[in-house]
Amino acid sequence: MNNMFIEINEIKVNYTDTGAGKSTVLVLHGWGCNAAVYSSVITHLSAQYRIILPELPGFGETPEPPQPWGVSDYADFIICFCEAADIQPDIIFAHSLGCRITTKLLAEKRLSPTKVVYTGAAGIKPKRTALQKIKTLIFKTKRAFLKHFPKAVEKMRQKYGSEDYRAASPVMRASLVQIVNEDLTRLLPKISEEVLLIWGENDASTPISDGKLMEGLMQNAGLAVIKNAGHYAFLEQSALFTKILDSYLGVGK
């Protein structure tokens, strides 16, 4: 893989550009990931396609954004990246956070790929249980009470926050809060592109019920479920994942 750098709005963006096919695949990665996570997919597809994967601001070797970003900010970034790199993706391969960004771009008709692949797609805000609502209320109450004691607040965040939240910097934590609290369900019926949803049956981060809902709401989507796989089905069941991907894209035909 060829790592390159390009400056987008004063952010030095690291990106992968490999393969020499006539069609271009834009790969949009998930939260906490970098290009290396997708190396097997990139290597496989690069035999037939040109593969472009920008490491999003805040991940890999790309510095974090200057202030907290939401999904729309990342979508704007991708448009700027495509313009700066002079690419018009024919295919989008998106995982997790990358699917949130792609949903925005497709629903707003800012990119028009011929085919789209979602895997472990995020974007549907889960309904909180009564217990979760109580825990959130307790956290907010304690946070308000301890606002003048930053060390105590940080300790509480470490206790109540998710693994992604705990590992993030202050800017990326605020970004994560914005991102996960935006429900993109309303945008799904606006997507007219052909979308293949590949889902790990045991995905605990984005449950299979989300995949079924997306399939029903999108205009032209199909769902493929992989057994004995979770949120990273392309790593956990790589051989089967590749076969499904090849069949959809027509690789080797």
Side-chain angles (χ1 to χ4, degrees), residues 6-26:
I6 192 169
E7 189 167 303
I8 308 292
N9 297 329
E10 300 184 353
I11 297 176
K12 188 178 180 182
V13 180
N14 179 58
Y15 71 101
T16 295
D17 185 347
T18 191
K22 293 182 179 180
S23 297
T24 298
V25 179
L26 176 64

Side-chain angles (χ1 to χ4, degrees), residues 3 10 25 28-29 35 68 100 102 106 121 125-127 142 148 171 173 176 181 192 195 197 202 206 210 220 229 233:
N3 284 351
E10 300 184 353
V25 179
L28 298 181
H29 65 74
R100 293 181 189 269
T102 304
L106 297 183
K125 188 176 180 180
K127 293 182 179 179
K142 287 184 176 181
H148 298 299
V171 166
R173 283 180 178 178
L176 181 61
N181 281 310
S192 57
V195 181
L197 306 161
N202 303 323
T206 52
D210 287 3
N220 190 16

Side-chain angles (χ1 to χ4, degrees), residues 96 119-123 199-200 203-211 231:
S96 197
T119 184
W199 229 277
D203 193 329
S205 298
T206 52
I208 187 63
S209 57
D210 287 3
H231 196 54

